[in-house]
PDB file of all heavy atoms in Angstrom:
ATOM      1  N   MET A 331     -89.197-101.273   8.301  1.00 89.00           N
ATOM      2  CA  MET A 331     -88.507-100.528   7.248  1.00 89.00           C
ATOM      3  C   MET A 331     -88.886-101.089   5.886  1.00 89.00           C
ATOM      4  O   MET A 331     -88.906-102.305   5.683  1.00 89.00           O
ATOM      5  CB  MET A 331     -86.995-100.635   7.461  1.00 89.00           C
ATOM      6  CG  MET A 331     -86.195 -99.749   6.603  1.00 89.00           C
ATOM      7  SD  MET A 331     -86.429 -98.055   7.096  1.00 89.00           S
ATOM      8  CE  MET A 331     -85.600 -97.252   5.765  1.00 89.00           C
ATOM      9  N   TYR A 332     -89.205-100.192   4.945  1.00 89.00           N
ATOM     10  CA  TYR A 332     -89.541-100.568   3.574  1.00 89.00           C
ATOM     11  C   TYR A 332     -88.695 -99.723   2.640  1.00 89.00           C
ATOM     12  O   TYR A 332     -88.435 -98.559   2.906  1.00 89.00           O
ATOM     13  CB  TYR A 332     -91.033-100.367   3.304  1.00 89.00           C
ATOM     14  CG  TYR A 332     -91.884-101.193   4.244  1.00 89.00           C
ATOM     15  CD1 TYR A 332     -92.408-100.641   5.407  1.00 89.00           C
ATOM     16  CD2 TYR A 332     -92.112-102.533   3.987  1.00 89.00           C
ATOM     17  CE1 TYR A 332     -93.150-101.408   6.281  1.00 89.00           C
ATOM     18  CE2 TYR A 332     -92.857-103.303   4.859  1.00 89.00           C
ATOM     19  CZ  TYR A 332     -93.375-102.737   6.012  1.00 89.00           C
ATOM     20  OH  TYR A 332     -94.090-103.501   6.872  1.00 89.00           O
ATOM     21  N   TYR A 333     -88.292-100.291   1.521  1.00 91.00           N
ATOM     22  CA  TYR A 333     -87.349 -99.630   0.626  1.00 91.00           C
ATOM     23  C   TYR A 333     -87.986 -99.067  -0.634  1.00 91.00           C
ATOM     24  O   TYR A 333     -87.333 -98.351  -1.380  1.00 91.00           O
ATOM     25  CB  TYR A 333     -86.199-100.586   0.300  1.00 91.00           C
ATOM     26  CG  TYR A 333     -85.505-101.023   1.573  1.00 91.00           C
ATOM     27  CD1 TYR A 333     -85.771-102.262   2.144  1.00 91.00           C
ATOM     28  CD2 TYR A 333     -84.647-100.160   2.225  1.00 91.00           C
ATOM     29  CE1 TYR A 333     -85.164-102.627   3.334  1.00 91.00           C
ATOM     30  CE2 TYR A 333     -84.038-100.526   3.421  1.00 91.00           C
ATOM     31  CZ  TYR A 333     -84.308-101.763   3.964  1.00 91.00           C
ATOM     32  OH  TYR A 333     -83.719-102.116   5.152  1.00 91.00           O
ATOM     33  N   THR A 334     -89.251 -99.401  -0.880  1.00 91.00           N
ATOM     34  CA  THR A 334     -89.964 -98.880  -2.039  1.00 91.00           C
ATOM     35  C   THR A 334     -91.358 -98.426  -1.599  1.00 91.00           C
ATOM     36  O   THR A 334     -91.892 -98.928  -0.599  1.00 91.00           O
ATOM     37  CB  THR A 334     -90.135 -99.954  -3.131  1.00 91.00           C
ATOM     38  OG1 THR A 334     -90.956-101.002  -2.610  1.00 91.00           O
ATOM     39  CG2 THR A 334     -88.798-100.513  -3.590  1.00 91.00           C
ATOM     40  N   PRO A 335     -91.962 -97.502  -2.346  1.00 91.00           N
ATOM     41  CA  PRO A 335     -93.339 -97.113  -2.006  1.00 91.00           C
ATOM     42  C   PRO A 335     -94.309 -98.295  -2.057  1.00 91.00           C
ATOM     43  O   PRO A 335     -95.187 -98.420  -1.206  1.00 91.00           O
ATOM     44  CB  PRO A 335     -93.687 -96.070  -3.072  1.00 91.00           C
ATOM     45  CG  PRO A 335     -92.374 -95.507  -3.499  1.00 91.00           C
ATOM     46  CD  PRO A 335     -91.406 -96.663  -3.414  1.00 91.00           C
ATOM     47  N   ALA A 336     -94.123 -99.170  -3.038  1.00 87.00           N
ATOM     48  CA  ALA A 336     -94.991-100.354  -3.134  1.00 87.00           C
ATOM     49  C   ALA A 336     -94.828-101.246  -1.905  1.00 87.00           C
ATOM     50  O   ALA A 336     -95.808-101.770  -1.371  1.00 87.00           O
ATOM     51  CB  ALA A 336     -94.680-101.140  -4.404  1.00 87.00           C
ATOM     52  N   GLY A 337     -93.590-101.411  -1.453  1.00 85.00           N
ATOM     53  CA  GLY A 337     -93.350-102.203  -0.247  1.00 85.00           C
ATOM     54  C   GLY A 337     -94.009-101.586   0.974  1.00 85.00           C
ATOM     55  O   GLY A 337     -94.562-102.279   1.824  1.00 85.00           O
ATOM     56  N   LEU A 338     -93.984-100.261   1.051  1.00 88.00           N
ATOM     57  CA  LEU A 338     -94.635 -99.557   2.162  1.00 88.00           C
ATOM     58  C   LEU A 338     -96.135 -99.790   2.139  1.00 88.00           C
ATOM     59  O   LEU A 338     -96.742-100.097   3.172  1.00 88.00           O
ATOM     60  CB  LEU A 338     -94.312 -98.064   2.087  1.00 88.00           C
ATOM     61  CG  LEU A 338     -95.022 -97.180   3.109  1.00 88.00           C
ATOM     62  CD1 LEU A 338     -94.589 -97.539   4.529  1.00 88.00           C
ATOM     63  CD2 LEU A 338     -94.741 -95.720   2.816  1.00 88.00           C
ATOM     64  N   VAL A 339     -96.737 -99.678   0.969  1.00 87.00           N
ATOM     65  CA  VAL A 339     -98.182 -99.904   0.846  1.00 87.00           C
ATOM     66  C   VAL A 339     -98.536-101.339   1.249  1.00 87.00           C
ATOM     67  O   VAL A 339     -99.509-101.576   1.969  1.00 87.00           O
ATOM     68  CB  VAL A 339     -98.671 -99.579  -0.586  1.00 87.00           C
ATOM     69  CG1 VAL A 339    -100.114-100.020  -0.781  1.00 87.00           C
ATOM     70  CG2 VAL A 339     -98.519 -98.094  -0.853  1.00 87.00           C
ATOM     71  N   GLU A 340     -97.742-102.302   0.796  1.00 83.00           N
ATOM     72  CA  GLU A 340     -97.969-103.701   1.176  1.00 83.00           C
ATOM     73  C   GLU A 340     -97.838-103.874   2.687  1.00 83.00           C
ATOM     74  O   GLU A 340     -98.639-104.550   3.318  1.00 83.00           O
ATOM     75  CB  GLU A 340     -96.991-104.618   0.454  1.00 83.00           C
ATOM     76  CG  GLU A 340     -97.264-104.752  -1.026  1.00 83.00           C
ATOM     77  CD  GLU A 340     -96.217-105.581  -1.747  1.00 83.00           C
ATOM     78  OE1 GLU A 340     -95.184-105.936  -1.141  1.00 83.00           O
ATOM     79  OE2 GLU A 340     -96.433-105.880  -2.932  1.00 83.00           O
ATOM     80  N   GLY A 341     -96.810-103.244   3.262  1.00 83.00           N
ATOM     81  CA  GLY A 341     -96.614-103.344   4.704  1.00 83.00           C
ATOM     82  C   GLY A 341     -97.777-102.771   5.479  1.00 83.00           C
ATOM     83  O   GLY A 341     -98.226-103.348   6.471  1.00 83.00           O
ATOM     84  N   ILE A 342     -98.297-101.635   5.029  1.00 85.00           N
ATOM     85  CA  ILE A 342     -99.452-101.028   5.699  1.00 85.00           C
ATOM     86  C   ILE A 342    -100.664-101.949   5.581  1.00 85.00           C
ATOM     87  O   ILE A 342    -101.390-102.164   6.552  1.00 85.00           O
ATOM     88  CB  ILE A 342     -99.743 -99.624   5.113  1.00 85.00           C
ATOM     89  CG1 ILE A 342     -98.633 -98.655   5.524  1.00 85.00           C
ATOM     90  CG2 ILE A 342    -101.101 -99.113   5.571  1.00 85.00           C
ATOM     91  CD1 ILE A 342     -98.688 -97.307   4.834  1.00 85.00           C
TER      92      ILE A 342
END
Side-chain angles (χ1 to χ4, degrees):
M331 190 70 189
Y332 301 96
Y333 302 101
T334 64
L338 175 64
V339 171
E340 289 176 352
I342 290 171

